[in-house]
Short mmCIF file of all heavy atoms in Angstrom, two decimals:
data_model
loop_
_atom_site.label_atom_id
_atom_site.label_comp_id
_atom_site.label_asym_id
_atom_site.label_seq_id
_atom_site.Cartn_x
_atom_site.Cartn_y
_atom_site.Cartn_z
N MET N 12 104.94 86.52 104.50
CA MET N 12 103.91 87.36 103.88
C MET N 12 103.66 86.92 102.44
O MET N 12 102.52 86.76 102.02
CB MET N 12 104.37 88.82 103.92
CG MET N 12 103.25 89.79 103.58
SD MET N 12 103.74 91.52 103.73
CE MET N 12 104.42 91.55 105.37
N CYS N 13 104.76 86.68 101.72
CA CYS N 13 104.63 86.25 100.32
C CYS N 13 104.29 84.77 100.25
O CYS N 13 104.93 83.95 100.88
CB CYS N 13 105.95 86.51 99.59
SG CYS N 13 105.98 85.81 97.93
N GLN N 14 103.26 84.43 99.44
CA GLN N 14 102.85 83.03 99.31
C GLN N 14 103.04 82.55 97.89
O GLN N 14 102.49 81.53 97.49
CB GLN N 14 101.38 82.90 99.70
CG GLN N 14 101.10 83.60 101.01
CD GLN N 14 100.12 82.83 101.88
OE1 GLN N 14 99.31 82.07 101.39
NE2 GLN N 14 100.23 83.00 103.18
N HIS N 15 103.81 83.29 97.11
CA HIS N 15 104.03 82.90 95.72
C HIS N 15 105.06 81.79 95.61
O HIS N 15 105.93 81.66 96.46
CB HIS N 15 104.46 84.12 94.90
CG HIS N 15 103.41 85.19 94.85
ND1 HIS N 15 103.56 86.42 95.46
CD2 HIS N 15 102.19 85.20 94.27
CE1 HIS N 15 102.47 87.14 95.25
NE2 HIS N 15 101.63 86.43 94.55
N GLN N 16 104.97 81.03 94.52
CA GLN N 16 105.96 80.02 94.19
C GLN N 16 106.46 80.27 92.78
O GLN N 16 105.66 80.26 91.86
CB GLN N 16 105.33 78.62 94.24
CG GLN N 16 105.38 77.91 95.57
CD GLN N 16 106.66 77.96 96.33
OE1 GLN N 16 107.73 77.81 95.72
NE2 GLN N 16 106.59 78.17 97.61
N PRO N 17 107.75 80.46 92.55
CA PRO N 17 108.78 80.59 93.59
C PRO N 17 108.60 81.88 94.38
O PRO N 17 107.96 82.81 93.89
CB PRO N 17 110.08 80.63 92.77
CG PRO N 17 109.66 81.18 91.44
CD PRO N 17 108.27 80.66 91.20
N PRO N 18 109.13 81.95 95.58
CA PRO N 18 108.93 83.13 96.42
C PRO N 18 109.49 84.39 95.79
O PRO N 18 110.51 84.35 95.08
CB PRO N 18 109.68 82.80 97.71
CG PRO N 18 110.05 81.36 97.64
CD PRO N 18 109.97 80.95 96.21
N CYS N 19 108.86 85.51 96.03
CA CYS N 19 109.34 86.79 95.51
C CYS N 19 110.57 87.24 96.31
O CYS N 19 110.80 86.76 97.41
CB CYS N 19 108.23 87.82 95.64
SG CYS N 19 106.78 87.40 94.69
N PRO N 20 111.34 88.17 95.75
CA PRO N 20 112.47 88.72 96.50
C PRO N 20 112.01 89.32 97.82
O PRO N 20 110.94 89.93 97.88
CB PRO N 20 113.01 89.81 95.56
CG PRO N 20 112.49 89.47 94.21
CD PRO N 20 111.19 88.77 94.43
N THR N 21 112.80 89.14 98.83
CA THR N 21 112.44 89.68 100.14
C THR N 21 112.68 91.18 100.18
O THR N 21 113.33 91.75 99.30
CB THR N 21 113.26 89.00 101.25
OG1 THR N 21 114.63 89.16 100.94
CG2 THR N 21 112.92 87.53 101.34
N ALA N 22 112.17 91.83 101.22
CA ALA N 22 112.27 93.28 101.34
C ALA N 22 113.71 93.76 101.47
O ALA N 22 114.01 94.90 101.14
CB ALA N 22 111.45 93.75 102.54
N ASP N 23 114.61 92.89 101.94
CA ASP N 23 116.01 93.32 102.06
C ASP N 23 116.84 92.92 100.86
O ASP N 23 118.06 93.06 100.86
CB ASP N 23 116.62 92.81 103.37
CG ASP N 23 116.47 91.30 103.53
OD1 ASP N 23 116.00 90.66 102.59
OD2 ASP N 23 116.85 90.79 104.60
N SER N 24 116.18 92.42 99.83
CA SER N 24 116.87 92.05 98.61
C SER N 24 116.97 93.27 97.68
O SER N 24 116.11 94.15 97.72
CB SER N 24 116.10 90.92 97.93
OG SER N 24 116.47 90.79 96.59
N THR N 25 118.00 93.33 96.86
CA THR N 25 118.15 94.49 95.98
C THR N 25 117.09 94.52 94.89
O THR N 25 116.78 95.57 94.36
CB THR N 25 119.54 94.52 95.33
OG1 THR N 25 119.80 93.26 94.74
CG2 THR N 25 120.61 94.82 96.35
N ASP N 26 116.54 93.34 94.55
CA ASP N 26 115.48 93.32 93.52
C ASP N 26 114.09 93.20 94.15
O ASP N 26 113.20 92.60 93.61
CB ASP N 26 115.74 92.23 92.48
CG ASP N 26 115.87 90.85 93.11
OD1 ASP N 26 115.95 90.77 94.36
OD2 ASP N 26 115.90 89.86 92.38
N ARG N 27 113.95 93.83 95.32
CA ARG N 27 112.68 93.77 96.06
C ARG N 27 111.50 94.27 95.24
O ARG N 27 110.38 93.84 95.45
CB ARG N 27 112.78 94.59 97.35
CG ARG N 27 113.07 96.05 97.12
CD ARG N 27 113.08 96.82 98.42
NE ARG N 27 114.33 96.66 99.15
CZ ARG N 27 115.42 97.42 98.92
NH1 ARG N 27 115.40 98.34 98.00
NH2 ARG N 27 116.52 97.23 99.60
N GLU N 28 111.77 95.18 94.29
CA GLU N 28 110.67 95.72 93.48
C GLU N 28 110.08 94.71 92.51
O GLU N 28 109.05 94.96 91.92
CB GLU N 28 111.15 96.93 92.68
CG GLU N 28 111.49 98.11 93.56
CD GLU N 28 112.26 99.15 92.77
OE1 GLU N 28 111.85 99.46 91.64
OE2 GLU N 28 113.27 99.64 93.28
N ALA N 29 110.76 93.56 92.36
CA ALA N 29 110.26 92.54 91.45
C ALA N 29 109.15 91.70 92.09
O ALA N 29 108.55 90.87 91.43
CB ALA N 29 111.41 91.63 91.02
N ALA N 30 108.86 91.93 93.37
CA ALA N 30 107.79 91.20 94.04
C ALA N 30 106.44 91.59 93.44
O ALA N 30 106.30 92.64 92.81
CB ALA N 30 107.81 91.49 95.54
N HIS N 31 105.45 90.74 93.65
CA HIS N 31 104.12 91.00 93.10
C HIS N 31 103.44 92.17 93.83
O HIS N 31 103.63 92.36 95.03
CB HIS N 31 103.23 89.76 93.26
CG HIS N 31 103.59 88.65 92.33
ND1 HIS N 31 104.65 87.81 92.54
CD2 HIS N 31 103.02 88.26 91.17
CE1 HIS N 31 104.71 86.93 91.56
NE2 HIS N 31 103.73 87.18 90.70
N LEU N 32 102.62 92.90 93.09
CA LEU N 32 101.79 93.93 93.69
C LEU N 32 100.61 93.28 94.40
O LEU N 32 99.96 92.41 93.83
CB LEU N 32 101.23 94.86 92.60
CG LEU N 32 102.17 95.88 91.96
CD1 LEU N 32 101.39 96.63 90.88
CD2 LEU N 32 102.70 96.84 92.99
N VAL N 33 100.35 93.67 95.62
CA VAL N 33 99.14 93.19 96.29
C VAL N 33 98.12 94.30 96.45
O VAL N 33 96.95 94.05 96.68
CB VAL N 33 99.46 92.54 97.65
CG1 VAL N 33 100.23 91.25 97.44
CG2 VAL N 33 100.24 93.47 98.55
N ALA N 34 98.57 95.55 96.33
CA ALA N 34 97.64 96.68 96.38
C ALA N 34 98.25 97.79 95.54
O ALA N 34 99.46 98.03 95.61
CB ALA N 34 97.41 97.16 97.80
N HIS N 35 97.42 98.43 94.74
CA HIS N 35 97.91 99.50 93.87
C HIS N 35 96.95 100.67 93.98
O HIS N 35 95.76 100.53 93.73
CB HIS N 35 97.99 98.97 92.44
CG HIS N 35 98.58 99.95 91.48
ND1 HIS N 35 99.72 100.66 91.75
CD2 HIS N 35 98.19 100.33 90.24
CE1 HIS N 35 100.00 101.44 90.71
NE2 HIS N 35 99.09 101.27 89.79
N HIS N 36 97.47 101.80 94.43
CA HIS N 36 96.64 102.98 94.61
C HIS N 36 97.27 104.16 93.89
O HIS N 36 97.85 105.05 94.52
CB HIS N 36 96.48 103.29 96.11
CG HIS N 36 95.73 102.22 96.84
ND1 HIS N 36 94.35 102.18 96.89
CD2 HIS N 36 96.17 101.14 97.53
CE1 HIS N 36 93.98 101.10 97.58
NE2 HIS N 36 95.06 100.47 97.98
N PRO N 37 97.18 104.17 92.56
CA PRO N 37 97.81 105.24 91.79
C PRO N 37 97.29 106.61 92.16
O PRO N 37 98.02 107.60 92.11
CB PRO N 37 97.49 104.87 90.34
CG PRO N 37 96.35 103.93 90.40
CD PRO N 37 96.47 103.22 91.72
N GLU N 38 96.02 106.69 92.57
CA GLU N 38 95.45 107.99 92.94
C GLU N 38 96.10 108.52 94.21
O GLU N 38 96.09 109.72 94.47
CB GLU N 38 93.93 107.90 93.07
CG GLU N 38 93.40 107.22 94.31
CD GLU N 38 93.51 105.69 94.27
OE1 GLU N 38 93.99 105.14 93.26
OE2 GLU N 38 93.14 105.05 95.27
N GLN N 39 96.67 107.63 95.02
CA GLN N 39 97.38 108.05 96.23
C GLN N 39 98.88 107.98 96.05
O GLN N 39 99.65 108.37 96.92
CB GLN N 39 96.95 107.19 97.42
CG GLN N 39 95.50 107.38 97.80
CD GLN N 39 95.04 106.35 98.82
OE1 GLN N 39 95.83 105.80 99.57
NE2 GLN N 39 93.74 106.07 98.83
N GLY N 40 99.31 107.42 94.91
CA GLY N 40 100.73 107.43 94.58
C GLY N 40 101.56 106.35 95.25
O GLY N 40 102.76 106.50 95.40
N TRP N 41 100.93 105.22 95.64
CA TRP N 41 101.73 104.15 96.24
C TRP N 41 101.18 102.79 95.88
O TRP N 41 100.03 102.63 95.49
CB TRP N 41 101.79 104.31 97.76
CG TRP N 41 100.47 104.24 98.46
CD1 TRP N 41 99.64 105.30 98.71
CD2 TRP N 41 99.80 103.06 98.97
NE1 TRP N 41 98.51 104.84 99.35
CE2 TRP N 41 98.58 103.49 99.53
CE3 TRP N 41 100.14 101.71 99.01
CZ2 TRP N 41 97.69 102.59 100.12
CZ3 TRP N 41 99.25 100.82 99.60
CH2 TRP N 41 98.04 101.27 100.14
N SER N 42 102.07 101.81 96.02
CA SER N 42 101.70 100.42 95.79
C SER N 42 102.30 99.59 96.92
O SER N 42 103.35 99.92 97.46
CB SER N 42 102.28 99.92 94.46
OG SER N 42 101.82 100.72 93.41
N LEU N 43 101.64 98.49 97.25
CA LEU N 43 102.16 97.58 98.26
C LEU N 43 102.57 96.28 97.58
O LEU N 43 101.79 95.70 96.83
CB LEU N 43 101.09 97.32 99.32
CG LEU N 43 101.48 96.31 100.42
CD1 LEU N 43 102.64 96.84 101.26
CD2 LEU N 43 100.28 95.99 101.30
N LEU N 44 103.79 95.86 97.84
CA LEU N 44 104.27 94.59 97.29
C LEU N 44 104.07 93.49 98.31
O LEU N 44 103.94 93.73 99.51
CB LEU N 44 105.76 94.71 96.93
CG LEU N 44 106.11 95.87 95.99
CD1 LEU N 44 107.60 95.81 95.64
CD2 LEU N 44 105.27 95.82 94.73
N CYS N 45 104.07 92.23 97.81
CA CYS N 45 103.77 91.11 98.69
C CYS N 45 104.88 90.85 99.70
O CYS N 45 104.70 90.09 100.64
CB CYS N 45 103.46 89.87 97.87
SG CYS N 45 104.86 89.27 96.94
N ASN N 46 106.05 91.46 99.52
CA ASN N 46 107.12 91.31 100.51
C ASN N 46 107.04 92.41 101.57
O ASN N 46 107.92 92.53 102.42
CB ASN N 46 108.49 91.28 99.84
CG ASN N 46 108.74 92.51 98.99
OD1 ASN N 46 107.97 93.46 99.04
ND2 ASN N 46 109.78 92.49 98.21
N GLY N 47 105.97 93.22 101.53
CA GLY N 47 105.74 94.21 102.56
C GLY N 47 106.31 95.58 102.24
O GLY N 47 106.18 96.51 103.03
N VAL N 48 106.93 95.72 101.06
CA VAL N 48 107.51 97.00 100.67
C VAL N 48 106.42 97.92 100.13
O VAL N 48 105.60 97.50 99.33
CB VAL N 48 108.60 96.78 99.59
CG1 VAL N 48 109.09 98.11 99.03
CG2 VAL N 48 109.76 95.99 100.17
N LEU N 49 106.42 99.15 100.62
CA LEU N 49 105.55 100.18 100.05
C LEU N 49 106.35 100.92 98.99
O LEU N 49 107.41 101.47 99.29
CB LEU N 49 105.13 101.17 101.14
CG LEU N 49 103.76 100.99 101.77
CD1 LEU N 49 103.54 102.07 102.82
CD2 LEU N 49 102.66 101.03 100.75
N LEU N 50 105.84 100.92 97.79
CA LEU N 50 106.55 101.52 96.67
C LEU N 50 105.81 102.79 96.27
O LEU N 50 104.62 102.75 95.97
CB LEU N 50 106.57 100.51 95.52
CG LEU N 50 107.40 100.81 94.30
CD1 LEU N 50 108.88 100.91 94.65
CD2 LEU N 50 107.19 99.70 93.28
N PHE N 51 106.50 103.92 96.28
CA PHE N 51 105.86 105.19 95.96
C PHE N 51 106.07 105.54 94.49
O PHE N 51 107.00 105.06 93.85
CB PHE N 51 106.37 106.29 96.87
CG PHE N 51 106.03 106.07 98.31
CD1 PHE N 51 106.96 105.58 99.20
CD2 PHE N 51 104.74 106.30 98.75
CE1 PHE N 51 106.63 105.35 100.52
CE2 PHE N 51 104.39 106.05 100.08
CZ PHE N 51 105.34 105.58 100.96
N GLU N 52 105.19 106.39 94.01
CA GLU N 52 105.17 106.80 92.62
C GLU N 52 106.51 107.38 92.15
O GLU N 52 106.89 107.23 91.01
CB GLU N 52 104.08 107.88 92.51
CG GLU N 52 103.62 108.22 91.15
CD GLU N 52 102.45 109.18 91.28
OE1 GLU N 52 102.57 110.19 92.00
OE2 GLU N 52 101.44 108.91 90.65
N ASP N 53 107.21 108.05 93.06
CA ASP N 53 108.49 108.67 92.69
C ASP N 53 109.66 107.70 92.82
O ASP N 53 110.80 108.11 92.79
CB ASP N 53 108.73 109.92 93.55
CG ASP N 53 108.83 109.59 95.04
OD1 ASP N 53 108.71 108.40 95.39
OD2 ASP N 53 109.03 110.51 95.83
N THR N 54 109.36 106.40 92.99
CA THR N 54 110.31 105.29 93.15
C THR N 54 110.94 105.24 94.54
O THR N 54 111.81 104.42 94.78
CB THR N 54 111.42 105.24 92.06
OG1 THR N 54 112.37 106.28 92.30
CG2 THR N 54 110.85 105.35 90.67
N GLY N 55 110.51 106.11 95.45
CA GLY N 55 110.92 105.95 96.84
C GLY N 55 110.24 104.72 97.43
O GLY N 55 109.22 104.26 96.91
N GLU N 56 110.81 104.18 98.50
CA GLU N 56 110.26 102.97 99.10
C GLU N 56 110.26 103.08 100.62
O GLU N 56 111.12 103.73 101.21
CB GLU N 56 111.11 101.76 98.69
CG GLU N 56 111.06 101.47 97.22
CD GLU N 56 112.14 100.49 96.79
OE1 GLU N 56 112.57 99.68 97.62
OE2 GLU N 56 112.56 100.56 95.63
N LEU N 57 109.28 102.41 101.21
CA LEU N 57 109.26 102.27 102.66
C LEU N 57 109.28 100.77 102.97
O LEU N 57 108.37 100.04 102.58
CB LEU N 57 108.00 102.92 103.24
CG LEU N 57 107.80 102.76 104.74
CD1 LEU N 57 108.94 103.40 105.53
CD2 LEU N 57 106.47 103.37 105.16
N LEU N 58 110.34 100.32 103.64
CA LEU N 58 110.49 98.90 103.92
C LEU N 58 109.70 98.52 105.16
O LEU N 58 109.37 99.38 105.99
CB LEU N 58 111.97 98.56 104.10
CG LEU N 58 112.89 98.95 102.93
CD1 LEU N 58 114.25 98.29 103.10
CD2 LEU N 58 112.29 98.60 101.59
N PRO N 59 109.36 97.22 105.30
CA PRO N 59 108.55 96.78 106.44
C PRO N 59 109.20 97.09 107.79
O PRO N 59 108.52 97.23 108.79
CB PRO N 59 108.45 95.26 106.25
CG PRO N 59 108.87 94.98 104.87
CD PRO N 59 109.67 96.15 104.37
N ASP N 60 110.53 97.22 107.82
CA ASP N 60 111.20 97.53 109.09
C ASP N 60 111.28 99.02 109.35
O ASP N 60 111.90 99.47 110.30
CB ASP N 60 112.60 96.90 109.12
CG ASP N 60 113.53 97.46 108.05
OD1 ASP N 60 113.09 98.36 107.28
OD2 ASP N 60 114.68 97.02 107.97
N GLY N 61 110.64 99.82 108.49
CA GLY N 61 110.59 101.26 108.70
C GLY N 61 111.67 102.02 107.96
O GLY N 61 111.69 103.25 107.97
N GLN N 62 112.58 101.30 107.31
CA GLN N 62 113.66 101.94 106.57
C GLN N 62 113.10 102.63 105.33
O GLN N 62 112.20 102.10 104.66
CB GLN N 62 114.69 100.88 106.17
CG GLN N 62 115.96 101.46 105.60
CD GLN N 62 116.91 100.35 105.13
OE1 GLN N 62 116.70 99.18 105.45
NE2 GLN N 62 117.92 100.71 104.39
N ILE N 63 113.62 103.83 105.04
CA ILE N 63 113.15 104.59 103.89
C ILE N 63 114.22 104.58 102.81
O ILE N 63 115.39 104.86 103.08
CB ILE N 63 112.79 106.02 104.30
CG1 ILE N 63 111.54 106.00 105.19
CG2 ILE N 63 112.53 106.90 103.07
CD1 ILE N 63 111.24 107.32 105.84
N ILE N 64 113.82 104.23 101.59
CA ILE N 64 114.72 104.24 100.45
C ILE N 64 114.38 105.47 99.62
O ILE N 64 113.23 105.66 99.22
CB ILE N 64 114.55 102.98 99.58
CG1 ILE N 64 114.62 101.70 100.43
CG2 ILE N 64 115.58 102.97 98.45
CD1 ILE N 64 115.97 101.40 101.00
N ALA N 65 115.36 106.31 99.36
CA ALA N 65 115.12 107.51 98.57
C ALA N 65 114.79 107.14 97.13
O ALA N 65 115.22 106.10 96.65
CB ALA N 65 116.35 108.41 98.61
N PRO N 66 114.02 107.99 96.45
CA PRO N 66 113.74 107.75 95.03
C PRO N 66 115.03 107.56 94.26
O PRO N 66 116.00 108.28 94.49
CB PRO N 66 113.02 109.03 94.59
CG PRO N 66 112.42 109.57 95.85
CD PRO N 66 113.37 109.19 96.94
N HIS N 67 115.08 106.57 93.40
CA HIS N 67 116.33 106.20 92.76
C HIS N 67 116.23 106.04 91.26
O HIS N 67 117.14 105.58 90.62
CB HIS N 67 116.88 104.91 93.39
CG HIS N 67 115.87 103.80 93.42
ND1 HIS N 67 115.69 102.95 92.38
CD2 HIS N 67 114.97 103.45 94.37
CE1 HIS N 67 114.72 102.10 92.69
NE2 HIS N 67 114.26 102.39 93.87
N ARG N 68 115.08 106.35 90.69
CA ARG N 68 114.95 106.27 89.23
C ARG N 68 114.43 107.61 88.74
O ARG N 68 113.56 108.20 89.35
CB ARG N 68 113.97 105.16 88.84
CG ARG N 68 114.60 103.80 88.75
CD ARG N 68 113.74 102.89 87.90
NE ARG N 68 112.38 102.80 88.42
CZ ARG N 68 111.95 101.80 89.19
NH1 ARG N 68 112.73 100.82 89.49
NH2 ARG N 68 110.73 101.78 89.62
N PRO N 69 114.95 108.06 87.60
CA PRO N 69 114.40 109.30 87.04
C PRO N 69 112.96 109.08 86.62
O PRO N 69 112.59 108.00 86.19
CB PRO N 69 115.30 109.57 85.83
CG PRO N 69 115.95 108.26 85.50
CD PRO N 69 116.00 107.47 86.80
N LEU N 70 112.16 110.09 86.79
CA LEU N 70 110.77 109.97 86.40
C LEU N 70 110.64 109.91 84.89
O LEU N 70 111.48 110.42 84.16
CB LEU N 70 109.97 111.17 86.93
CG LEU N 70 109.85 111.21 88.45
CD1 LEU N 70 109.17 112.50 88.87
CD2 LEU N 70 109.09 110.01 88.99
N GLY N 71 109.61 109.26 84.42
CA GLY N 71 109.38 109.13 83.00
C GLY N 71 109.06 110.46 82.36
O GLY N 71 108.73 111.43 83.03
N THR N 72 109.14 110.50 81.04
CA THR N 72 108.92 111.74 80.32
C THR N 72 107.50 112.26 80.49
O THR N 72 107.24 113.43 80.29
CB THR N 72 109.22 111.56 78.83
OG1 THR N 72 108.55 110.39 78.37
CG2 THR N 72 110.70 111.42 78.58
N GLU N 73 106.57 111.36 80.87
CA GLU N 73 105.20 111.81 81.02
C GLU N 73 105.05 112.80 82.18
O GLU N 73 104.07 113.49 82.27
CB GLU N 73 104.24 110.62 81.21
CG GLU N 73 104.36 109.92 82.55
CD GLU N 73 105.37 108.78 82.49
OE1 GLU N 73 106.23 108.77 81.61
OE2 GLU N 73 105.29 107.91 83.36
N HIS N 74 106.07 112.82 83.07
CA HIS N 74 106.01 113.75 84.19
C HIS N 74 106.72 115.07 83.90
O HIS N 74 106.70 115.96 84.71
CB HIS N 74 106.63 113.11 85.43
CG HIS N 74 105.86 111.92 85.92
ND1 HIS N 74 104.68 112.04 86.61
CD2 HIS N 74 106.11 110.62 85.80
CE1 HIS N 74 104.23 110.81 86.89
NE2 HIS N 74 105.08 109.94 86.42
N VAL N 75 107.39 115.13 82.76
CA VAL N 75 108.16 116.33 82.45
C VAL N 75 107.25 117.40 81.87
O VAL N 75 106.52 117.16 80.91
CB VAL N 75 109.29 115.99 81.45
CG1 VAL N 75 110.01 117.27 81.03
CG2 VAL N 75 110.27 115.00 82.07
N MET N 76 107.27 118.54 82.49
CA MET N 76 106.48 119.67 82.00
C MET N 76 107.35 120.55 81.13
O MET N 76 108.41 120.99 81.56
CB MET N 76 105.94 120.50 83.16
CG MET N 76 105.07 119.69 84.10
SD MET N 76 103.49 119.28 83.35
CE MET N 76 102.44 119.38 84.78
N THR N 77 106.90 120.82 79.94
CA THR N 77 107.66 121.74 79.09
C THR N 77 107.09 123.13 79.26
O THR N 77 105.90 123.35 78.99
CB THR N 77 107.59 121.30 77.61
OG1 THR N 77 106.29 120.88 77.32
CG2 THR N 77 108.58 120.19 77.34
N ALA N 78 107.89 124.04 79.73
CA ALA N 78 107.46 125.41 79.94
C ALA N 78 107.28 126.11 78.60
O ALA N 78 108.11 125.98 77.71
CB ALA N 78 108.48 126.17 80.77
N ALA N 79 106.19 126.82 78.48
CA ALA N 79 105.89 127.49 77.20
C ALA N 79 106.75 128.74 77.04
O ALA N 79 107.12 129.36 78.01
CB ALA N 79 104.42 127.87 77.12
ZN1 ZN H 389 105.12 87.15 96.28
#
């Protein structure tokens, strides 16, 4: 799937998120990487083999709501 040189990390690699973006849909909250990984806004992932990776990074401060 990936045609970059050097090749991007594969979907089963721990640094799979370092692959290039091939589609970015922030309004829908997901991005597609060239290794076939679907990356969600909350850092969850869906791998090409159907495996689901739970969100694993804390959200940035821009998502934090301060209650008045
Ligand atoms: Zn690539």
Side-chain angles (χ1 to χ4, degrees):
M12 192 176 308
C13 172
Q14 312 219 333
H15 297 112
Q16 270 316 318
C19 298
T21 56
D23 54 6
S24 162
T25 51
D26 56 350
R27 60 177 80 85
E28 293 167 45
H31 287 79
L32 285 178
V33 292
H35 184 46
H36 295 276
E38 76 283 359
Q39 294 170 25
W41 62 271
S42 302
L43 177 65
L44 305 184
C45 65
N46 56 10
V48 173
L49 261 180
L50 188 62
F51 296 102
E52 195 174 51
D53 62 0
T54 73
E56 295 167 27
L57 176 61
L58 305 193
D60 63 1
Q62 190 184 347
I63 291 170
I64 309 291
H67 52 87
R68 275 200 303 262
L70 293 174
T72 49
E73 71 269 21
H74 296 283
V75 175
M76 301 289 216
T77 41

